[in-house]
Amino acid sequence: MFLDLTFFFILLVLDEIYFTNLSAAFMLTPLFAYDRFIFFMNYLFRFNKAYITKISLIFIFFFNILIFFSTENALSRTYIIKNIDIIEPYDLNFKKDKVVDRAFIEAFKIIISKVLISENLKKINNYDLEAIRTMIKSFSITNEEFIDNKYHAKFNVFFEKKKLINYFHKLNIITSVPIDKNVFFLPILINLNNNEIKMFNENKFYAEWEKIQDNSYLIRYILSDEDLDDYNYIKQNFQDIESYDFKEILNKYDNENYIVSVFLINDNNLDILSKISFNNNISIHKSKFENIDFKIQENFNKIILDLKKTYEDKWKVENQINLSIKLPLKISIITKNIDLIKNFEDDLKSSDLIYDYNIESMSKNKTLFKIIYNGNPDRLIKNLKGKNYNLDFSGETWIIR
């Protein structure tokens, strides 16, 4: 028996093991011991059948952990569209399947408006229900009720990321990662007819901006406070407003994501100069609207809608997933740092830019990840550093310490 157990524990401390498509969550929990567990049971069974009952209880514990990790992995690989309101007449023609299908289509409309730029969104002329169903992982229904002969319910729909991304890839359409982002917004209205500067609530674009909303928007705008100093900075730089860097104002808000929009009214024409910074990448966008009646509220609404669509597109382009780029990388982590490995894999699972990954090998000294990345290495380096990983990318194999 001693020799048998010794042989078993030798298996536990092999110098190096090579794997294919194996998860760190699986390897770094008791689940990893499953195959050795079966081997061990065979040995114990020869000597004491009483051990089997105890080991069976342990196996049940392991199985529960497996369910936990499977659920966690599934959630990290889905896009969730929540609280879709569906109302249908409740009569002889009522069919629950049709209600569910309608919820699927409404959810699909929302998710594609989050992951596609407006130009590509126009290419989707119809909604293939059969194709949509194949992309749906699961769904849930809440708040079902019948009121005045009408069926009311809210749906939550879970889309599989990879299937959705690959669906549009086959149509030669690039998708984006739907990341919500807080963005500081400073709108400045200048009437060139009388050289008047309007800011804050005197500026109708400021006052009306947050009233125009859509459930597909990813950008959450943080409007500037009513600060007299801000007004004075603008006034002092009025003549060079197009080249002014707004540094004094932007520094107060300490946000690398901002949009400064200067609205220039000249008679019935409106020119808009937008300085946009997303993740410290700065771009300039110019818009022009002619023959505008500024007394009509609907005209303001249309301009705001157009600008918000433009800013959403700029943000989506910043986060596009290009499946034609498949960059293979190897990243090494010290094996004994279990928490670091687990956190790293969690980040890999949740990243839409990681096409695939597995643990290629594991020794007592290091765990080696093999990653396929849909993007350039600079972007991955920036993302990893943004998550506070101590990354050494000087060699062929990157190292996280």
Side-chain angles (χ1 to χ4, degrees):
M1 179 178 180
F2 174 78
L3 289 175
D4 289 330
L5 289 177
T6 302
F7 178 68
F8 171 70
F9 285 111
I10 287 173
L11 289 178
L12 291 176
V13 292
L14 284 174
D15 264 358
E16 186 154 16
I17 312 170
Y18 288 88
F19 308 100
T20 302
N21 298 323
L22 198 56
S23 156
F26 184 72
M27 292 201 312
L28 299 175
T29 63
L31 293 172
F32 177 56
Y34 173 76
D35 57 330
R36 289 173 292 181
F37 168 75
I38 297 299
F39 177 83
F40 190 38
M41 279 187 65
N42 289 334
Y43 273 83
L44 289 180
F45 189 81
R46 300 179 191 175
F47 306 104
N48 194 336
K49 295 182 181 181
Y51 287 153
I52 300 303
T53 302
K54 294 179 181 179
I55 293 174
S56 297
L57 293 174
I58 297 172
F59 180 77
I60 293 170
F61 172 71
F62 291 167
F63 183 74
N64 287 333
I65 294 177
L66 176 60
I67 293 173
F68 169 78
F69 279 109
S70 298
T71 304
E72 184 185 58
N73 293 349
L75 289 175
S76 67
R77 294 172 182 173
T78 58
Y79 293 135
I80 307 171
I81 302 299
K82 295 182 178 180
N83 298 323
I84 303 165
D85 285 307
I86 299 294
I87 301 175
E88 280 285 316
Y90 190 66
D91 52 26
L92 293 175
N93 297 319
F94 178 84
K95 290 184 178 180
K96 189 70 169 285
D97 289 348
K98 288 186 177 181
V99 175
V100 172
D101 287 344
R102 185 182 157 198
F104 287 173
I105 291 172
E106 292 302 315
F108 185 71
K109 289 179 181 178
I110 295 172
I111 190 60
I112 66 173
S113 64
K114 287 178 176 286
V115 301
L116 302 183
I117 61 174
S118 54
E119 181 182 346
N120 287 333
L121 199 56
K122 294 175 184 176
K123 299 176 183 178
I124 312 301
N125 298 318
N126 55 66
Y127 303 103
D128 184 345
L129 184 57
E130 290 302 316
I132 292 171
R133 286 191 185 121
T134 64
M135 291 180 262
I136 293 174
K137 177 77 173 178
S138 62
F139 71 96
S140 61
I141 306 174
T142 60
N143 299 335
E144 280 188 296
E145 52 188 357
F146 298 88
I147 303 174
D148 297 330
N149 294 321
K150 289 184 178 180
Y151 170 83
H152 296 248
K154 288 184 182 292
F155 285 75
N156 300 322
V157 181
F158 298 75
F159 290 91
E160 290 195 55
K161 290 181 183 180
K162 272 196 175 180
K163 288 185 178 180
L164 185 76
I165 293 167
N166 287 328
Y167 172 77
F168 286 109
H169 181 63
K170 290 176 183 177
L171 300 175
N172 293 318
I173 294 175
I174 296 177
T175 60
S176 299
V177 184
I179 302 174
D180 293 322
K181 179 64 72 173
N182 292 327
V183 175
F184 171 69
F185 182 57
L186 177 63
I188 303 162
L189 179 62
I190 299 176
N191 192 330
L192 297 177
N193 299 311
N194 55 17
N195 289 335
E196 182 182 22
I197 301 173
K198 289 188 176 181
M199 293 182 65
F200 314 122
N201 284 320
E202 289 184 351
N203 174 357
K204 200 161 186 179
F205 290 103
Y206 178 100
E208 300 293 324
W209 191 261
E210 286 294 82
K211 295 179 183 179
I212 308 296
Q213 295 293 340
D214 188 276
N215 57 9
S216 68
Y217 287 161
L218 299 170
I219 298 175
R220 294 188 292 263
Y221 294 92
I222 303 169
L223 271 68
S224 56
D225 297 328
E226 296 193 28
D227 191 327
L228 185 59
D229 287 341
D230 292 353
Y231 176 82
N232 289 332
Y233 289 134
I234 301 299
K235 191 173 181 180
Q236 290 166 14
N237 293 275
F238 169 71
Q239 297 299 328
D240 301 308
I241 195 69
E242 293 191 23
S243 59
Y244 177 46
D245 60 10
F246 303 95
K247 181 173 62 177
E248 296 88 351
I249 299 172
L250 295 172
N251 285 344
K252 293 192 305 181
Y253 292 91
D254 190 28
N255 196 331
E256 65 179 14
N257 301 291
Y258 62 81
I259 300 172
V260 178
S261 296
V262 180
F263 299 82
L264 301 168
I265 294 177
N266 190 355
D267 295 329
N268 291 328
N269 299 322
L270 176 66
D271 289 293
I272 306 171
L273 176 69
S274 298
K275 184 177 182 180
I276 304 167
S277 174
F278 291 141
N279 299 330
N280 285 328
N281 296 323
I282 297 175
S283 63
I284 302 295
H285 180 80
K286 293 183 178 181
S287 306
K288 189 176 184 67
F289 298 87
E290 297 179 332
N291 301 317
I292 303 295
D293 186 345
F294 293 103
K295 294 179 181 179
I296 299 176
Q297 177 64 41
E298 187 61 27
N299 290 336
F300 278 92
N301 294 347
K302 287 180 180 178
I303 293 169
I304 291 173
L305 276 170
D306 187 85
L307 283 176
K308 286 195 170 185
K309 181 178 71 174
T310 297
Y311 300 155
E312 289 284 323
D313 281 348
K314 294 279 187 183
W315 176 235
K316 289 171 186 174
V317 168
E318 190 76 15
N319 298 289
Q320 282 186 329
I321 307 167
N322 192 344
L323 289 185
S324 62
I325 301 175
K326 289 185 170 65
L327 178 68
L329 293 166
K330 292 185 179 182
I331 298 180
S332 174
I333 303 177
I334 296 173
T335 298
K336 67 180 181 182
N337 199 335
I338 294 176
D339 288 340
L340 180 61
I341 293 176
K342 181 63 174 65
N343 291 338
F344 180 63
E345 192 186 22
D346 287 343
D347 288 331
L348 292 179
K349 291 173 193 170
S350 62
S351 173
D352 297 349
L353 295 173
I354 301 296
Y355 180 79
D356 198 9
Y357 77 92
N358 64 276
I359 293 176
E360 187 173 76
S361 67
M362 183 185 226
S363 71
K364 59 186 178 182
N365 295 319
K366 68 178 182 180
T367 297
L368 187 63
F369 284 84
K370 184 177 180 181
I371 297 169
I372 305 297
Y373 185 71
N374 294 133
N376 64 63
D378 291 340
R379 188 173 180 182
L380 179 58
I381 290 168
K382 186 175 181 179
N383 289 343
L384 291 174
K385 287 188 173 181
K387 294 180 181 293
N388 297 319
Y389 287 109
N390 183 2
L391 178 67
D392 178 359
F393 52 91
S394 58
E396 185 175 337
T397 298
W398 296 0
I399 300 171
I400 292 178
R401 294 185 174 89

